[in-house]
């Protein structure tokens, strides 16, 4: 790296043979992304495209706990509380990185070992070759912190099989390797102990290697991921989560028997009512959208508007600042969140918080 404006030891760029390696390097913070990291990532990826000796790009996370736990919500919380006009800058720089990954012209390989949540999904699941392991814990947990799925998740989640994405988006629950593959967030299961071999094998590919070449290499290490819980519950999930209001979904859940339905009801009951309704609207809009870019723009608009309101700050307080796990949502019930309330998050009610709500 020669550009001091994008230098940071929190993201490292390396080479193993013909493979460029992006290492997220905040292991004590579960490699959560901050502004400096996403600011450095995009120009590095552009350089890798131009370098004829690089065959593929591999994303990995330092430490033993995971690839990436998401964006640094503590920093956003602090900026928002301080009234800093740059509070949305992180998203403004992060979302274009997600878009770049989705359209990347060289093979992009994400090693989704351990925790992969929120922004971690954004830098992994838009790639062409997504590897999960027996340790993978993947989630879009935003409804639990008064936020909504972003980083292009409202493009990915509606394209999961059946209504699995709706279940994932509303509950925010962690899923394992088999569920991640079933829902379309990953492609291969490789035992974690063999990831280093995968990297070495990919690095041994010559310049100009194709996506088919990369897939063939990974395929030699891939193993069966086991049974998918979401696939096993597909009939129930599709039956219940096909409705277009959260109230109808919960009413349908009440009619279902069994442990999975009871568990799902309990989880949703703890989430922010506003976030639940916003998330469902975003997912249904994402299903009708023609591009990832359209979804990212819509997510950015809603995310920016959330910075005006109570639930995001309360959710982060309860989960990250005070860690009491007892958020007091406002409004506290679904019935108090009206369609008019939701409209203003989509620029339907008043002037936006920022002069430019577009990316």
């Amino acid at each position: 790296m020669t550009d001091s404006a994008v230098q940071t030891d929190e993201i490292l760029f390396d080479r193993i043979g013909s493979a460029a390696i992006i290492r997220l390097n905040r292991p004590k913070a579960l490699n959560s992304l901050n502004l400096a990291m996403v600011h450095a990532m995009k120009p590095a990826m552009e350089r890798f495209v131009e370098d004829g000796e690089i065959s593929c790009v591999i994303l990995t996370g330092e430490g033993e706990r995971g690839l990436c736990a998401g964006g640094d919500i503590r920093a956003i919380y602090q900026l928002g509380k301080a009234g800093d006009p740059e509070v949305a800058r992180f998203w403004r720089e992060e979302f274009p990185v997600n878009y770049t990954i989705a359209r990347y012209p060289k093979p992009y390989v994400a090693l989704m070992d351990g925790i992969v949540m929120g922004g971690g999904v954004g830098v992994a699941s838009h790639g062409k070759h997504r590897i999960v392991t027996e340790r993978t814990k993947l989630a879009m947990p935003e409804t639990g912190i008064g936020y909504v799925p972003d980083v292009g998740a409202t493009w990915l989640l509606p394209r999961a099989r059946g209504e699995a994405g709706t279940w994932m988006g509303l509950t925010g629950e962690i899923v394992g390797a088999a569920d991640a593959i079933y829902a379309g967030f990953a492609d291969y299961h490789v035992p974690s102990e063999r990831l280093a071999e995968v990297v070495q094998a990919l690095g041994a590919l010559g310049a100009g290697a194709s996506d088919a070449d990369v897939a063939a290499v990974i395929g030699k290490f891939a193993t069966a991921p086991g049974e998918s819980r979401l696939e096993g519950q597909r009939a129930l999930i599709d039956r219940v989560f096909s409705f277009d209001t959260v109230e109808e979904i919960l009413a349908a859940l009440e009619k279902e028997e069994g442990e999975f339905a009871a568990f799902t009801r309990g989880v949703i009951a703890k989430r922010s009512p506003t976030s639940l309704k916003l998330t469902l609207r975003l997912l249904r809009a994402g299903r009708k959208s023609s591009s990832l870019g359209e979804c990212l723009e819509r997510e950015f608009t809603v995310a920016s508007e959330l910075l005006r309101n109570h639930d995001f700050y309360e959710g982060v307080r309860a989960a990250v600042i005070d860690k009491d796990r007892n958020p007091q949502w406002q409004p506290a019930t679904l019935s108090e969140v009206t369609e008019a309330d939701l409209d203003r998050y989509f620029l339907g009610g008043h002037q936006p918080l920022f002069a430019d709500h577009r990316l």
Side-chain angles (χ1 to χ4, degrees):
M1 297 289 292
T2 58
D3 184 350
S4 62
V6 296
Q7 277 190 347
T8 172
D9 59 5
E10 295 172 329
I11 184 168
L12 307 174
F13 304 104
D14 196 3
R15 283 279 293 276
I16 294 180
S18 64
I21 315 295
I22 300 173
R23 302 183 188 277
L24 306 181
N25 189 37
R26 297 183 71 204
K28 291 182 179 179
L30 295 176
N31 296 319
S32 47
L33 300 168
N34 59 28
L35 181 58
M37 293 164 74
V38 297
H39 188 60
M41 193 169 174
K42 193 167 185 285
M45 292 180 67
E46 291 169 353
R47 289 195 299 275
F48 297 154
V49 171
E50 297 166 1
D51 189 334
E53 296 183 0
I54 290 177
S55 61
C56 65
V57 175
I58 301 173
L59 175 74
T60 186
E62 294 297 286
E64 296 296 319
R65 298 176 66 189
L67 172 67
C68 176
D72 191 344
I73 56 173
R74 180 188 290 268
I76 296 171
Y77 171 95
Q78 291 169 342
L79 289 172
K81 281 289 190 180
D84 193 314
E86 290 291 289
V87 62
R89 176 59 57 186
F90 171 71
W91 295 325
R92 193 180 286 280
E93 298 221 17
E94 179 191 27
F95 289 10
V97 170
N98 306 140
Y99 187 77
T100 296
I101 291 168
R103 297 170 58 87
Y104 205 59
K106 289 188 175 182
Y108 182 94
V109 182
L111 306 185
M112 302 167 69
D113 187 33
I115 292 171
V116 186
M117 297 184 184
V121 173
V123 292
S125 289
H126 291 297
K128 292 189 180 77
H129 307 277
R130 305 156 305 171
I131 299 172
V132 287
T133 77
E134 77 284 356
R135 304 191 300 190
T136 298
K137 295 180 178 179
L138 182 145
M140 293 302 297
E142 289 79 9
T143 56
I145 58 165
Y147 188 54
V148 293
D150 63 352
V151 297
T154 64
W155 172 257
L156 295 171
L157 288 165
R159 284 155 185 80
R161 296 186 192 181
E163 295 292 342
T166 310
W167 182 92
M168 289 175 65
L170 291 182
T171 66
E173 273 298 295
I174 293 170
V175 301
D179 285 334
I181 293 172
Y182 171 76
F185 281 74
D187 307 294
Y188 317 88
H189 173 267
V190 173
S192 57
E193 70 217 21
R194 304 206 69 187
L195 291 180
E197 294 176 72
V198 172
V199 172
Q200 290 294 331
L202 290 172
L205 288 171
S210 67
D211 280 305
D213 296 330
V214 168
V217 167
I218 299 171
K220 294 176 182 178
F221 297 89
T223 61
E227 294 185 8
S228 163
R229 177 177 64 157
L230 296 184
E231 184 175 16
Q233 297 290 337
R234 177 164 184 172
L236 184 153
I237 289 171
D238 289 359
R239 184 166 61 244
V240 168
F241 285 85
S242 62
F243 295 99
D244 292 331
T245 70
V246 180
E247 289 90 341
E248 288 174 299
I249 288 171
L250 286 174
L253 263 178
E254 288 291 342
K255 299 175 184 177
E256 299 288 342
E257 299 179 352
E259 183 179 337
F260 182 81
F263 167 78
T264 299
R265 284 196 301 271
V267 169
I268 292 177
K270 297 176 183 177
R271 303 315 190 206
S272 158
T274 300
S275 292
L276 288 170
K277 288 197 170 185
L278 285 172
T279 295
L280 187 58
R281 185 185 280 201
L282 284 166
L283 293 178
R284 295 302 184 248
R287 180 173 287 170
K288 298 174 184 177
S289 295
S290 60
S291 70
L292 168 63
E294 184 180 332
C295 290
L296 287 166
E297 292 279 8
R298 188 183 299 114
E299 292 167 4
F300 183 72
T301 297
V302 173
S304 298
E305 183 61 25
L306 279 163
L307 294 173
R308 283 185 200 269
N309 292 282
H310 170 271
D311 276 10
F312 171 71
Y313 298 102
E314 174 62 8
V316 175
R317 179 206 64 75
V320 178
I321 308 299
D322 298 335
K323 299 182 180 179
D324 60 26
R325 307 291 175 183
N326 186 31
Q328 302 299 306
W329 306 122
Q330 295 179 9
T333 64
L334 289 168
S335 62
E336 294 175 88
V337 183
T338 68
E339 290 302 307
D341 292 332
L342 300 179
D343 286 343
R344 64 188 177 83
Y345 288 88
F346 298 83
L347 302 188
H350 51 60
Q351 287 298 110
L353 180 59
F354 304 102
D356 182 5
H357 255 59
R358 293 183 60 80
L359 296 171

